[in-house]
Structures are given as C-alpha cells and as structure tokens.
Amino acid sequence: MTTSPSERGVSLGMPQLPAPAYPDEVRARLETDAREVIARYPDSRSALLPLLHLVQSEEGHVTRTGMQFCADVLGLTTAEVTAVATFYTMYRRRPSGEYQVGVCTNTLCAVMGGDAIFEELQEHLGIGNGETTEDGKVTLEHIECNAACDFAPVVMVNWEFFDNQDPQSAKRMVDDLRAGRPVAPTRGAPLCTFKETARILAGFPDEREGAARATGSAGPASLSGLKLAKGEAAPARVVHPRGEAPTDTPPHEPSPTEHLSSHDAPQETSASDPEHPAGPAAEEGE
C-alpha cells in the first residue's frame, strides 16, 4: 500500500518565487565592486568565490538575492552558484551574528580542551551549535582544524586567532564581544565585524588605520621547525630502542641524536641512516 506525500508528513508546497532584487543603489554599488573582482581573473566564473564573499558582506549571509546577483554578473545559472555556496561552510545561509565564534573540536584541540570550551560556551550563551544569541552579537559553532595545532586549543572569531584558550578565557571573550568592549586577537589584524571580514575576503583592502601593519607573523611555536632546519635550535634527538644503550656514548651522557620522547624508536631516515639518504621520490612506474 502506498501513501501520499501529505500522509507521510511531507509538504511539497508551492514552487519558490524568484529571489527579490537588490535596491537599485545597492545593486549599482555591488556591480561596481564585482567588475573590479572579475577583472582579476582570465575566466569570469573563477570570480565566484570572492563574489559570494562580496554579497555576504552586504547582508551578513548569502541570500537568494545574492546568489541571483552572482549568477547574473557571471553568466551562470542559480543552480551553479547554489552548488558552490552550499558546499563551503564559510558562506552562511541564514542570518548570523556580528561575531562568528568558532571553537576547534578537531583531534588535538579537542583533547587539549576544545570540547570543554565548546560545551561551556553553549551553556554560558544559552545557544547550540550554529545558533545566535538573542542580541545578534555572537554565533557559536564548532569548526574543523584551524591549522594552529601548536597553539591548541584555539578559538577563532571572524577567522582571527585566539590561542591557548580555556573555558574561562573563552567566556570572558564572548562577554566582552556582547558588551562592546575591545577584544584583541592573540595574533593577526584587529578584530572587525563579520560583514567587514567578508569584504576583506572578497579581496578589498582593510582600510582601518594600522590594520595592515598589525597582521604580525607566526608565533614561536610555529617557527620551531624552521629554526631547527636552519640550525638555529638544538638538533632533535632520537631515542634508542628500549633496553638498548648506545655503543658509542656512555649511558649517563645523552646522545646528540637522542629524541626527548621515550616512545619513539629510531627511524631509518637520511638523518639516522647515512647509507640510505633521502632523495627525490620516483615517479610511479620508475
């Protein structure tokens, strides 16, 4: 026996009406910006990603009107634009907060306290994942790796880094955001609103006084490997297998190649095995 969609609780509804147009003055301004963006690319459709940021900077999320605009100026179908806008999580599909607070809950940040931060922020703000506070200030979400594992656990606000966080520091930070008090990222440019961030991501300069000079650089933890490669830091040490002592070094004197971790055995790399130096990887089939 078959059932109708209505009997299954499925509402087919009426076809969606065309997206409303931007007001004339808004569309004219966006068209001027869009032409500047499109001119950077040999193929106009390559400008779709920055144009989605551009329309997101107008309303704080990517609306049907914004997607229709992108389709119009690039000569695409709305289906093609929608496919891209729904693929990337950086494009918001519904109204969201002035500040997007993302807590990394990927492996390292999670075990270092990211899960605890996210849980306490949900309780503190009274919202769940992807939800926005009633004052429209903060949208909370858990996000994937921020590529800042050396500063775990990491929280991001409008894609700016807040390193080495804990539940208390994260709660103070969101309280300051909601109260309008100054909040400074651990590194990077000064914090701005999500709409302003979206315009910068569209490829337009950050015109705030001193913002470009305040971007800074990688922190000490991020530069450790580079310093090691340049010989500016003590060399890594490789541990000998358990129960074995180095034959050329007295037991009480650590070998210069001994690794600090007691869980690692020596690996046959170009550093530990001179007879098998590392070289260019062969192409498949060679």
Side-chain angles (χ1 to χ4, degrees):
M1 179 178 176
T2 60
T3 58
S4 67
S6 61
E7 290 173 325
R8 295 195 300 268
V10 177
S11 176
L12 298 180
M14 294 294 291
Q16 200 170 30
L17 295 174
Y22 283 124
D24 291 343
E25 67 277 9
V26 173
R27 185 177 179 92
R29 173 166 46 79
L30 290 176
E31 285 178 345
T32 299
D33 289 339
R35 284 193 294 270
E36 182 178 338
V37 172
I38 294 170
R40 303 169 188 160
Y41 299 89
D43 185 342
S44 63
R45 69 181 297 142
S46 298
L48 178 54
L49 293 181
L51 286 188
L52 285 169
H53 282 300
L54 177 64
V55 297
Q56 184 160 251
S57 73
E58 185 65 31
E59 299 177 85
H61 66 295
V62 177
T63 63
R64 293 174 55 235
T65 299
M67 288 190 283
Q68 182 66 63
F69 172 83
C70 292
D72 291 344
V73 298
L74 294 175
L76 302 175
T77 66
T78 53
E80 289 174 308
V81 176
T82 302
V84 174
T86 56
F87 181 82
Y88 293 102
T89 58
M90 60 189 174
Y91 301 122
R92 311 305 187 195
R93 297 297 311 286
R94 58 184 179 182
S96 55
E98 190 174 347
Y99 297 100
Q100 308 279 320
V101 176
V103 182
C104 182
T105 55
N106 218 318
T107 306
L108 183 57
C109 279
V111 299
M112 294 291 287
D115 283 343
I117 292 173
F118 185 65
E119 290 174 5
E120 293 210 24
L121 282 181
Q122 287 186 97
E123 182 178 353
H124 182 67
L125 295 171
I127 56 177
N129 181 47
E131 296 179 352
T132 303
T133 53
E134 291 183 359
D135 58 10
K137 288 290 186 180
V138 170
T139 295
L140 178 67
E141 62 177 350
H142 73 80
I143 53 180
E144 294 300 320
C145 183
N146 290 316
C149 304
D150 38 0
F151 296 103
V154 173
V155 176
M156 297 195 84
V157 180
N158 295 348
W159 310 122
E160 298 294 348
F161 287 101
F162 290 77
D163 303 318
N164 301 314
Q165 296 294 296
D166 59 37
Q168 297 307 314
S169 65
K171 285 189 286 189
R172 287 194 302 271
M173 182 258 291
V174 296
D175 286 345
D176 287 342
L177 290 174
R178 298 183 71 185
R181 292 188 286 268
V183 174
T186 308
R187 49 200 163 102
L191 199 60
C192 59
T193 67
F194 184 64
K195 288 183 179 181
E196 292 170 330
T197 300
R199 183 170 176 82
I200 295 169
L201 291 175
F204 293 94
D206 188 342
E207 298 179 348
R208 295 175 296 161
E209 180 68 29
R213 295 191 301 273
T215 53
S217 61
S222 302
L223 298 175
S224 296
L226 179 61
K227 289 183 176 181
L228 179 62
K230 290 182 175 182
E232 298 175 3
R237 297 181 294 171
V238 179
V239 131
H240 293 273
R242 291 175 181 168
E244 296 183 16
T247 57
D248 57 345
T249 307
H252 63 279
E253 295 183 12
S255 165
T257 59
E258 184 181 359
H259 193 279
L260 291 177
S261 171
S262 61
H263 297 264
D264 298 329
Q267 302 295 308
E268 291 186 355
T269 67
S270 59
S272 61
D273 187 3
E275 295 183 2
H276 298 85
E283 295 291 337
E284 185 175 354
E286 290 186 356

